[in-house]
């Protein structure tokens, strides 16, 4: 269950930070083209705790799939 963290007065943007010339979504397209982030369901994430274990399992599955393909 996700809970939003409590706001703290120290979390506010300081006056010296100026985002008035910022461009929303400036890098969005580039990120979407090169990103390969996958969100695992909680039960799967309990088993595969890091990228290395996910990659190892998928490589093994791909190898089995190739070996059994007709």
């Amino acid at each position: 269950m996700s809970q939003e963290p409590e706001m703290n007065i120290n979390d506010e943007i300081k006056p010296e930070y100026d985002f008035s010339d910022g461009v929303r979504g400036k890098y969005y397209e580039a990120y979407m083209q090169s990103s390969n982030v996958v969100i695992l369901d909680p039960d799967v994430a309990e088993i595969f705790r890091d990228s290395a274990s996910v990659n190892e399992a998928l490589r093994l599955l791909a190898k089995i799939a190739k070996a059994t393909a007709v």
Side-chain angles (χ1 to χ4, degrees):
M1 185 176 272
S2 176
Q3 254 184 343
E4 285 192 32
E6 238 180 77
M7 276 293 289
N8 184 330
I9 192 71
N10 296 325
D11 290 340
E12 291 184 23
I13 295 176
K14 296 180 180 174
E16 61 265 25
Y17 299 153
D18 181 10
F19 294 106
S20 61
D21 291 328
V23 178
R24 185 180 189 104
K26 182 175 181 178
Y27 299 104
Y28 175 79
E29 285 298 325
Y31 175 78
M32 293 307 293
Q33 290 177 7
S34 66
S35 175
N36 60 356
V37 174
V38 176
I39 307 299
L40 302 177
D41 289 337
D43 59 322
V44 176
E46 285 181 26
I47 299 165
F48 300 102
R49 299 221 176 241
D50 56 25
S51 296
S53 62
V54 172
N55 287 326
E56 183 180 348
L58 289 175
R59 285 187 183 104
L60 179 59
L61 181 60
K63 186 176 181 179
I64 293 168
K66 285 180 184 179
T68 59
V70 179

